[in-house]
């Protein structure tokens, strides 16, 4: 007759399979009742079909494993097969069904492949009596207690972790060292807080004997106390002590003695917890062991925090290097030099507030140098998103101006291109100028940007009417743009700027302002290059060292006197 024999995780017992079906689970009505919180209420069933026996998982939380492989659907059982339900290990015996699969030895069964580390935090009554001892948050507070042992343990943990920066390696090393410091420890685990989540995440588990119950159970009562009060907790012989009969979170765990201490970061807040336990009733942990573990955990936490900060620093360096590359790529999109045309001079400057920015200017020639195309834009926002829009704008402007001569038509096409697959909220204020250097006529479209300032030969400043300013680029597709025209006379200079110039602030939060800019242009030289450099210098003077909060871009060009 076939039967199931419990090998591990419960009382040694044989279950004769006399009926057509036997359900295994935690529920009292199950034919084979298994006392473990890792076993579902109705976990799996063994049923008979003809002369053969099959096992089927009933949608359990932790799955059913036969000979180390997770059961999917129905699986025929053979003699000597090993069945694992959570921490419970059973052997199927049926002499009429010889073994066709070589079972693994009992100590080879681990967690189900592909599942997370088996750490269960069970809720129980908030019963403080389960706590047998505690130690304060200062890991070295009781240095007078076994100072030589503490020093040796701290040196040992420091030596074992020295030079380790891999966060996936450092946690198992901590457990390995703790098992050397506490020879009575049977199981250990480290749980860490995950940013943005309230629950603790198991990151490392160790068992002294590979055949032990592969799951680690923690009491929510103890875990909460360790994290909120930043204290180490000792619980001893909870499974056999009648005082704990009412506390399911301990009494079902078969833990004879356990210690749980916080891993405190450099700011004093818990990064996580270390938990170790022993199932040997003759080797219970004592208060001095808890004090020792608290000291070791303090050094381990510092080492882990330092490694984490080093990893963050290296990641930041990598990001900075990538941003420097992006900065170089973006600057490569800007003109390397300006056209050299007799009687004219061109100047432009671009300084982003961050590594990359969203301002843009471009200069190109048409008709064998008879016409100069000048594009100037400011993408809404700054940083990486704005720089990506800026790079697209650069490509669109360049390709459009190769085939379109009319400034109004060119601006419409640029707008339509930018509206296609546009990123919401990333519009561009834009000015496009086509300058005929023979007739000296300047035609331009202003798409949501500030009007250029034209310094006349007598020093007065002229601007285009507000009615000429149209919708920014990338907002509405298919709209026309008005064209403004003006002939440049000798000694007249045009200044185009972004709001990073006019809205530059000093430490008192006072703006540089368009009025000040207009007045400064009036009082200074008409030479485009010299005037542009003087404006930028004056903006920095006004800022007085205040951090630049927007991209500063300026273009100036004009006829020489």
């Amino acid at each position: 007759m076939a039967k199931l024999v419990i090998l591990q995780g419960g009382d040694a017992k044989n279950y004769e399979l006399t009926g057509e079906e036997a359900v295994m689970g935690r529920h009292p009505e199950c034919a084979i009742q298994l006392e473990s919180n890792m076993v579902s209420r109705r976990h799996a069933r063994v049923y008979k079909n003809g002369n053969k026996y099959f096992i089927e998982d009933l949608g359990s939380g932790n799955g059913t494993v036969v000979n180390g492989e997770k059961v999917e659907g129905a699986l025929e059982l053979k003699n000597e097969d090993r069945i694992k339900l959570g921490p419970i290990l059973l052997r199927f015996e049926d002499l009429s069904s010889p073994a066709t699969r070589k079972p693994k030895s009992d100590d080879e069964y681990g967690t189900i492949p592909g599942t997370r580390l088996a750490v269960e935090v069970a809720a129980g009554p908030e019963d403080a009596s389960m706590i047998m001892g505690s130690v304060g948050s200062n890991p070295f507070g009781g240095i007078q207690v076994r100072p030589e042992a503490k020093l040796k343990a701290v040196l040992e943990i420091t030596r074992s972790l020295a030079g380790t920066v891999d966060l996936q390696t450092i946690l198992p090393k901590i457990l390995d060292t703790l098992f050397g410091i506490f020879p009575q420890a049977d199981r250990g685990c480290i749980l860490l807080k995950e940013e943005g989540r309230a629950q603790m995440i198991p990151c490392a588990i160790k068992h002294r004997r590979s055949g032990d119950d592969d799951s680690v159970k923690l009491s929510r009562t103890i875990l909460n106390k360790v994290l909120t009060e930043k204290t180490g907790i000792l619980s001893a012989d909870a499974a056999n002590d009648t005082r704990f009969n009412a506390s399911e979170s301990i009494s079902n765990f078969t833990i004879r003695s356990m210690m749980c201490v916080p891993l405190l970061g450099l700011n004093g807040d818990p990064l996580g917890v270390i938990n170790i336990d022993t199932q040997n009733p003759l080797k219970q942990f004592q208060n001095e062991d808890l004090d020792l573990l608290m000291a070791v955990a303090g050094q381990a936490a510092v080492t882990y925090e330092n490694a984490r900060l080093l990893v963050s620093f290296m990641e930041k360096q990598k990001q900075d290097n990538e941003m420097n590359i992006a900065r170089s790529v973006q600057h490569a999109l800007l003109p390397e030099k300006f056209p050299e045309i007799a009687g004219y001079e061109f100047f432009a400057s671009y300084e982003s507030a961050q590594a990359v920015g969203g301002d843009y200017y471009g200069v190109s020639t048409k008709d064998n140098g008879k016409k100069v195309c000048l594009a100037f834009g400011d993408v809404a926002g700054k940083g990486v998103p704005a720089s990506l829009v800026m790079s697209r704008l650069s490509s669109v402007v360049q390709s459009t101006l190769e085939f379109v001569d009319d400034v109004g038509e060119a601006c419409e096409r640029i707008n339509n291109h930018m509206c296609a697959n546009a990123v919401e909220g990333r519009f561009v204020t834009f000015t496009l100028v086509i300058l005929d250097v023979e007739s000296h006529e300047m035609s331009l479209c202003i798409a949501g940007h500030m009007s250029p300032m034209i310094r006349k030969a007598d020093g007065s400043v002229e601007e285009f009417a507000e009615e000429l300013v149209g919708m920014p680029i990338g907002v509405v597709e298919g709209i026309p743009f008005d064209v403004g025209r003006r002939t440049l006379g000798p000694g007249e200079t045009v200044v185009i700027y972004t709001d990073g110039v006019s809205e530059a602030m000093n430490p008192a939060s006072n703006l540089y302002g368009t009025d000040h800019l207009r007045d400064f242009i009036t009082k200074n030289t008409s030479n485009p290059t010299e005037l542009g450099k003087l404006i930028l210098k004056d903006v920095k003077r006004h800022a007085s060292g205040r951090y630049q909060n927007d991209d500063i871009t300026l273009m100036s060009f004009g006829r020489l006197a």
Side-chain angles (χ1 to χ4, degrees):
M1 181 177 293
K3 62 181 178 180
L4 291 173
V5 180
I6 294 181
L7 301 177
Q8 177 183 299
D11 297 333
K13 192 173 182 180
N14 297 343
Y15 292 93
E16 302 285 348
L17 300 176
T18 56
E20 295 296 317
E21 179 186 81
V23 176
M24 299 178 287
R26 204 173 67 246
H27 197 279
E29 294 181 2
C30 291
I32 302 176
Q33 185 180 4
L34 303 174
E35 296 290 344
S36 173
N37 288 338
M38 298 291 286
V39 175
S40 299
R41 295 168 62 86
R42 290 173 53 85
H43 197 109
R45 71 179 181 121
V46 175
Y47 63 94
K48 188 176 183 181
N49 187 353
N51 294 324
K52 298 180 179 180
Y53 285 88
F54 296 82
I55 186 169
E56 181 182 22
D57 187 84
L58 299 178
S60 64
N62 291 317
T64 301
V65 174
V66 174
N67 296 335
E69 296 183 2
K70 188 176 181 180
V71 174
E72 302 287 350
L75 177 70
E76 182 181 355
L77 291 173
K78 299 294 184 180
N79 186 44
E80 297 295 326
D81 278 352
R82 302 293 198 273
I83 303 170
K84 205 164 196 304
L85 287 72
I88 310 297
L89 180 65
L90 306 97
R91 181 174 64 236
F92 174 75
E93 295 183 0
D94 183 11
L95 298 180
S96 64
S97 176
T100 57
R101 297 181 293 268
K102 180 182 178 181
K104 298 180 181 180
S105 61
D106 294 347
D107 61 355
E108 289 183 68
Y109 289 90
T111 56
I112 299 172
T115 61
R116 305 193 72 169
L117 299 176
V119 174
E120 178 186 8
V121 179
E126 297 295 327
D127 184 4
S129 63
M130 70 177 66
I131 297 171
M132 307 301 295
S134 64
V135 64
S137 60
N138 184 354
F140 305 106
I143 194 67
Q144 68 277 8
V145 181
R146 297 176 65 193
E148 70 289 346
K150 281 187 178 181
L151 180 59
K152 180 181 178 181
V154 169
L155 290 175
E156 187 172 345
I157 196 76
T158 303
R159 183 173 59 252
S160 65
L161 301 180
T164 304
V165 296
D166 183 5
L167 297 181
Q168 301 299 322
T169 303
I170 198 169
L171 298 178
K173 278 190 174 182
I174 291 175
L175 291 178
D176 291 342
T177 306
L178 289 178
F179 272 48
I181 297 172
F182 300 100
Q184 69 269 47
D186 291 322
R187 301 178 302 185
C189 66
I190 297 178
L191 283 73
L192 297 179
K193 282 187 175 181
E194 189 175 53
E195 187 174 354
R197 297 182 61 178
Q199 68 185 85
M200 305 290 291
I201 305 301
C203 296
I205 294 179
K206 180 177 176 62
H207 305 274
R208 188 174 294 280
R209 294 174 292 275
S210 58
D212 283 351
D213 178 2
D214 60 9
S215 60
V216 176
K217 299 92 173 177
L218 303 178
S219 164
R220 189 178 301 278
T221 302
I222 292 177
L223 187 60
N224 289 339
K225 187 175 181 65
V226 169
L227 292 174
T228 56
E229 299 183 10
K230 305 176 186 178
T231 58
I233 299 299
L234 169 67
S235 175
D237 207 13
N240 293 334
D241 198 322
T242 57
R243 290 177 296 171
F244 303 121
N245 288 341
S247 180
E248 183 180 355
S249 60
I250 287 292
S251 62
N252 285 339
F253 294 168
T254 65
I255 293 175
R256 297 298 181 260
S257 182
M258 59 82 67
M259 295 187 293
C260 187
V261 298
L263 286 166
L264 300 179
L266 299 177
N267 59 356
D269 294 332
L271 303 172
V273 299
I274 296 178
N275 184 90
I276 61 174
D277 66 59
T278 176
Q279 293 182 307
N280 189 335
L282 301 179
K283 296 182 179 180
Q284 296 185 3
F285 294 119
Q286 306 298 322
N287 282 325
E288 58 184 17
D289 294 319
L290 178 62
D291 197 57
L292 180 60
L293 178 60
M294 195 71 181
V296 174
Q299 183 61 32
V302 170
T303 305
Y304 176 79
E305 183 81 330
N306 288 338
R308 191 171 67 167
L309 291 175
L310 181 58
V311 170
S312 298
F313 174 73
M314 292 188 295
E315 291 176 352
K316 178 64 166 57
Q317 279 193 318
K318 180 181 178 182
Q319 292 174 357
D320 289 344
N321 291 335
E322 292 174 350
M323 291 303 294
N324 288 332
I325 295 173
R327 181 189 183 95
S328 299
V329 171
Q330 185 177 41
H331 278 268
L333 299 175
L334 302 175
E336 293 183 2
K337 59 182 180 178
F338 300 103
E340 296 181 2
I341 299 173
Y344 278 89
E345 193 167 294
F346 301 87
F347 170 82
S349 173
Y350 168 66
E351 184 177 351
S352 60
Q354 300 177 14
V356 291
D359 285 1
Y360 162 76
Y361 68 85
V363 180
S364 61
T365 59
K366 296 173 65 71
D367 299 342
N368 296 321
K370 295 179 181 179
K371 292 182 179 179
V372 179
C373 302
L374 303 142
F376 193 89
D378 182 1
V379 180
K382 48 186 175 287
V384 175
S387 72
L388 295 175
V389 178
M390 176 271 197
S391 63
R392 185 179 176 210
L393 176 66
S394 172
S395 175
V396 169
V397 170
Q398 185 176 358
S399 60
T400 300
L401 291 178
E402 286 184 5
F403 303 102
V404 182
D405 294 327
D406 181 76
V407 68
E409 181 184 352
C411 205
E412 289 180 32
R413 292 196 181 188
I414 292 169
N415 176 61
N416 292 340
H417 277 294
M418 295 301 293
C419 283
N421 302 320
V423 178
E424 184 178 357
R426 295 293 174 179
F427 60 87
V428 184
T429 63
F430 185 69
T431 300
L432 181 63
V433 178
I434 296 182
L435 174 64
D436 189 322
V437 296
E438 290 187 345
S439 66
H440 309 298
E441 183 183 65
M442 175 180 67
S443 58
L444 82 166
C445 287
I446 305 174
H449 204 79
M450 295 83 68
S451 170
M453 291 186 182
I454 304 173
R455 186 191 187 281
K456 300 167 71 173
D458 60 3
S460 61
V461 173
E462 179 184 325
E463 297 176 67
F464 289 93
E466 292 184 2
E467 291 75 13
L468 184 64
V469 179
M471 189 78 70
I473 295 294
V475 177
V476 180
E477 187 176 0
I479 60 173
F481 290 88
D482 294 333
V483 177
R485 303 183 190 278
R486 190 185 187 285
T487 300
L488 285 181
E492 291 191 333
T493 301
V494 181
V495 177
I496 310 176
Y497 58 97
T498 62
D499 54 8
V501 173
S502 58
E503 296 180 1
M505 289 189 291
N506 61 13
S509 298
N510 297 320
L511 297 178
Y512 186 77
T514 54
D515 290 339
H516 181 83
L517 175 61
R518 190 180 299 110
D519 184 61
F520 187 85
I521 292 174
T522 298
K523 296 178 180 178
N524 283 279
T525 179
S526 63
N527 182 274
T529 300
E530 293 180 10
L531 180 59
K533 292 180 178 179
L534 287 172
I535 292 172
L536 295 174
K537 184 177 180 181
D538 193 56
V539 169
K540 291 187 179 296
R541 176 204 58 78
H542 173 80
S544 297
R546 175 163 177 160
Y547 179 76
Q548 179 184 338
N549 62 353
D550 201 355
D551 303 333
I552 295 177
T553 307
L554 181 140
M555 175 185 284
S556 56
F557 63 92
R559 290 181 67 182
L560 299 177

